[in-house]
Amino acid sequence: MNPFDVLRDSLYFFKRHLGRIAQLCLPLVILEALLQQGLDSAIGPEGFPGYSLIVGLLVYPLYTVALILFLDARSRGESPPARDLLATALTLWPRFALLTALNTLLILVGISLYFLPGLWLMVALGFSEYLLVLRGLTPLAAMKESLRMTRGNFWRILLCILCVMGPLWLLKGASVSVYPPPQNPLLSLLIESIHSFLQLFTSVVLFRMFMLIAEKPDSH
């Protein structure tokens, strides 16, 4: 399981299905960015950061679950309509939002402990979303199973994540350098929406890695 083969296959898939992914996820990504912008304007830069997490929990689960369901359907040669994917995502929202909150809090605590524990948790919990959506596990069971599945694959998964997120972090930093705050609200919305949408490629890469590891006989 070569990480660069995973990245290549994922990039091919993402480009081939870019239109469907944009149709499915981009409106919700823009809505999330718009809500975050409204919140930042209302509470100011010194506001409680937990509010931003709450806004993310409202929208992030919907487009992420829909994307995971789309990836799974395409892996089986199916092409369900966006409304069906979003309807299923809505039913899974409570469990997925709880999982997202638990993962986020654990990773943030880990990052506060000299960063490396947070990095390890980011990888170790990386499959929990797919396990919840595709195998119907509870949030805690999905987290536990993700810890098991990622054991022995840490460096491959980490390399895949960094190969995707590294350029995106650089791109985000470059956009802030070129357009420093305070930005025009419309420009800020555009930058945040594009950045969040491109981050969806990480979900495609991790799904590919998840499927490859799940196919191994000792992964069940």
Side-chain angles (χ1 to χ4, degrees):
M1 182 173 44
N2 188 322
F4 295 105
D5 289 340
V6 172
L7 290 166
R8 182 199 61 206
D9 294 346
S10 301
L11 183 60
Y12 174 77
F13 180 93
F14 192 73
K15 291 192 298 183
R16 184 180 180 188
H17 298 284
L18 183 61
R20 283 294 310 276
I21 294 174
Q23 177 192 16
L24 183 65
C25 301
L26 190 55
L28 289 169
V29 168
I30 294 173
L31 174 62
E32 181 183 39
L34 192 60
L35 291 174
Q36 291 284 8
Q37 190 177 81
L39 179 67
D40 292 342
S41 176
I43 67 175
E46 303 301 324
F48 176 58
Y51 292 137
S52 180
L53 174 60
I54 293 172
V55 169
L57 291 177
L58 292 175
V59 187
Y60 171 82
L62 295 177
Y63 64 76
T64 304
V65 171
L67 177 60
I68 292 172
L69 292 170
F70 174 74
L71 294 171
D72 180 59
R74 290 308 304 151
S75 72
R76 292 180 278 105
E78 300 173 4
S79 187
R83 64 177 179 274
D84 291 350
L85 298 174
L86 291 170
T88 305
L90 194 59
T91 65
L92 290 173
W93 178 86
R95 283 192 296 155
F96 198 92
L98 177 58
L99 174 68
T100 301
L102 292 172
N103 282 349
T104 301
L105 290 174
L106 282 174
I107 292 170
L108 288 176
V109 170
I111 289 175
S112 70
L113 299 173
Y114 303 105
F115 185 74
L116 289 179
L119 191 65
W120 179 81
L121 283 167
M122 183 174 65
V123 172
L125 298 173
F127 292 160
S128 58
E129 295 181 346
Y130 309 97
L131 290 162
L132 185 146
V133 174
L134 302 179
R135 295 190 183 175
L137 300 184
T138 64
L140 291 177
M143 294 165 72
K144 182 179 178 181
E145 179 64 11
S146 181
L147 290 172
R148 189 192 68 80
M149 285 186 68
T150 54
R151 193 177 302 129
N153 297 288
F154 176 85
W155 294 111
R156 283 190 285 263
I157 298 171
L158 178 62
L159 180 60
C160 286
I161 292 174
L162 292 180
C163 283
V164 176
M165 294 306 300
L168 290 179
W169 288 330
L170 292 174
L171 181 62
K172 183 68 177 291
S175 66
V176 172
S177 298
V178 176
Y179 302 105
Q183 296 172 341
N184 176 283
L186 187 59
L187 177 62
S188 176
L189 179 65
L190 179 63
I191 291 173
E192 289 299 323
S193 298
I194 292 174
H195 182 71
S196 295
F197 179 75
L198 291 177
Q199 284 189 70
L200 295 178
F201 181 54
T202 310
S203 294
V204 178
V205 172
L206 285 177
F207 175 81
R208 177 62 177 159
M209 185 72 77
F210 169 76
M211 294 300 292
L212 289 172
I213 293 175
E215 289 170 359
K216 297 165 76 171
D218 60 348
S219 66
H220 301 284

